[in-house]
Amino acid sequence: MATVTFEQATRVYQAGHRPAVDALDLEIADGEFLVLVGPSGCGKSTTLRMLAGLEPIDDGSIFIGDRDVTELPPRDRDIAMVFQSYALYPHMTVAENIGFHLKIKKIDREERMRRVREAAAILDVTDYLDRKPAKLSGGQRQRVAMGRAIVREPQVFLMDEPLSNLDAKLRVQTRTQIALLQRRLGVTTVYVTHDQVEAMTMGDRVAVLRDGLLQQCASPRELFTRPLNVFVAGFIGSPAMNLMPATLADDAAQVGSLRVPLTPAQRGDLSSERVVVGVRPEGFTIATTGGLDATVDLVEELGSECYLYCTATGVADRSVVVRTEGLSSSRRGDAVSLLPRPGGLHLFDAGNGKRLSET
């Protein structure tokens, strides 16, 4: 096991163009499960491939433990990688697939089979060791691919969207198994996904990237409760946070009928005369007066909870989403007042997107 450190790591695919990864500074603790998340093209897979040695680094350094691995070939980095595709050999059995790397390294058969059986027991595929991949389900194949990584006993696991080929129900089941497995093994793990729900449920910390730049790296709870900028606020959470442009009126931000007082410190943080007011769907309560005047356009009943999609006065070109308890009494066409809960407001500078201080 080891720490992983990126120091100003940069990757540029074409001179004169924006870097795919731009001066990344990131430290991953020994035994930590870190998730890289962001939209397509943000640089998360490139970051993983740089760590694996599959992509050269144009500037900066990467360390695994105390070793500078920036120039080392992949085989010398002591890492194991699980890809989006299972990449199993169809003519080999599950046992042969799991132990293939050990065979190449000339590990004796007895030790090789011991490791294979241990990995199979951990992943619950012992009953399938004599089967070929074609006889396995998608989830079982992915576990075999993970077993192949486990038997190598590396310092770092790298996982590049390993659940993308699974159906929705199997994804939920398998992501739980991966998270429990990582905690059991205690191996430093870097996991790439575009699914923010996957990221929030699996990672000890989550690093959010956009256009090659690290936006925020924090625990799932901190990302949700205290996003550092508008992008993170809108990306993390499902449904997404309601982000509403506001106008400044005296010492307050005004969104339709909702008036949000600003502290002197918040006014001092502003780089422009524009503010973005953010409220998560569960951050609203339905009131009669005193909040944001809105009309219910759609009621989405999900049993245990309900989502109201509303048109709010003064909030143009976007719906305001409110989450309420299941079997809501609100109906399409109802006039409602949306009142933010205490602590439910998030304020951002519309000019630079940064979060305003809270005092």
Side-chain angles (χ1 to χ4, degrees):
M1 295 186 292
T3 60
V4 173
T5 306
F6 293 85
E7 292 184 354
Q8 293 288 295
T10 300
R11 176 67 175 125
V12 182
Y13 283 110
Q14 189 172 354
H17 287 69
R18 174 178 57 81
V21 177
D22 193 356
L24 176 64
D25 280 319
L26 182 62
E27 185 165 340
I28 304 165
D30 186 5
E32 183 177 19
F33 193 126
L34 181 104
V35 180
L36 298 172
V37 69
S40 296
C42 70
K44 54 189 184 296
S45 290
T46 300
T47 299
L48 197 75
R49 291 172 63 83
M50 289 162 63
L51 176 55
L54 302 177
E55 291 284 352
I57 299 175
D58 296 290
D59 196 11
S61 303
I62 296 178
F63 292 83
I64 296 178
D66 295 328
R67 291 191 307 148
D68 186 343
V69 301
T70 308
E71 302 296 334
L72 286 182
R75 68 176 178 272
D76 296 331
R77 298 194 180 201
D78 198 10
I79 55 96
M81 193 161 183
V82 180
F83 295 92
Q84 180 176 340
S85 62
Y86 315 125
L88 301 178
Y89 296 106
H91 63 287
M92 294 183 182
T93 64
V94 167
E96 290 168 338
N97 267 285
I98 293 176
F100 182 71
H101 175 78
L102 303 181
K103 184 177 181 180
I104 294 297
K105 291 189 69 176
K106 302 189 184 305
I107 303 294
D108 69 80
R109 177 176 172 76
E110 185 176 337
E111 172 64 13
R112 189 165 74 239
M113 290 310 299
R114 182 190 68 79
R115 290 202 207 175
V116 168
R117 284 191 292 268
E118 280 186 1
I122 290 171
L123 296 165
D124 196 23
V125 293
T126 302
D127 294 340
Y128 312 120
L129 287 176
D130 295 327
R131 292 191 188 181
K132 300 286 181 66
K135 301 295 184 181
L136 303 178
S137 69
Q140 290 164 346
R141 292 182 198 179
Q142 192 57 271
R143 278 183 277 163
V144 173
M146 291 181 61
R148 188 169 51 191
I150 289 171
V151 295
R152 298 180 64 172
E153 298 178 354
Q155 286 189 303
V156 183
F157 282 138
L158 308 181
M159 301 188 184
D160 191 3
E161 303 204 43
L163 307 184
S164 293
N165 293 331
L166 305 182
D167 62 61
K169 183 178 180 181
L170 195 54
R171 283 180 70 131
V172 173
Q173 176 185 343
T174 308
R175 78 187 184 204
T176 302
Q177 293 172 340
I178 290 176
L180 290 173
L181 174 64
Q182 191 275 337
R183 280 145 181 79
R184 176 177 175 179
L185 297 175
V187 178
T188 307
T189 301
V190 184
Y191 185 103
V192 163
T193 181
H194 65 276
D195 185 338
Q196 57 92 14
V197 174
E198 203 170 280
M200 296 288 280
T201 54
M202 295 179 73
D204 296 321
R205 285 190 303 155
V206 179
V208 183
L209 286 89
R210 181 191 188 192
D211 296 336
L213 294 169
L214 179 63
Q215 303 294 305
Q216 186 174 358
C217 183
S219 68
R221 179 185 291 269
E222 185 173 351
L223 283 178
F224 190 82
T225 58
R226 201 174 185 280
L228 291 184
N229 58 43
V230 169
F231 175 78
V232 176
F235 189 80
I236 297 297
S238 181
M241 181 186 292
N242 298 294
L243 295 169
M244 302 169 288
T247 57
L248 287 181
D250 298 325
D251 291 327
Q254 191 77 35
V255 181
S257 56
L258 179 65
R259 188 174 186 274
V260 181
L262 300 179
T263 66
Q266 289 170 338
R267 286 299 302 266
D269 286 343
L270 289 174
S271 65
S272 67
E273 291 297 305
R274 296 174 297 141
V275 178
V276 174
V277 175
V279 183
R280 295 203 179 275
E282 60 276 9
F284 279 120
T285 58
I286 305 297
T288 53
T289 59
L292 180 63
D293 294 334
T295 302
V296 179
D297 296 325
L298 176 67
V299 178
E300 195 175 70
E301 290 280 5
L302 300 178
S304 60
E305 59 189 10
C306 177
Y307 289 101
L308 308 181
Y309 293 82
C310 307
T311 298
T313 304
V315 182
D317 303 325
R318 68 191 73 191
S319 290
V320 175
V321 185
V322 182
R323 189 175 79 181
T324 67
E325 293 182 357
L327 306 177
S328 171
S329 59
S330 297
R331 293 291 178 266
R332 179 177 153 184
D334 285 357
V336 294
S337 183
L338 308 179
L339 189 64
R341 299 178 187 274
L345 284 168
H346 303 262
L347 301 175
F348 305 93
D349 183 343
N352 57 29
K354 294 182 180 179
R355 184 183 187 87
L356 301 183
S357 58
E358 298 175 5
T359 56

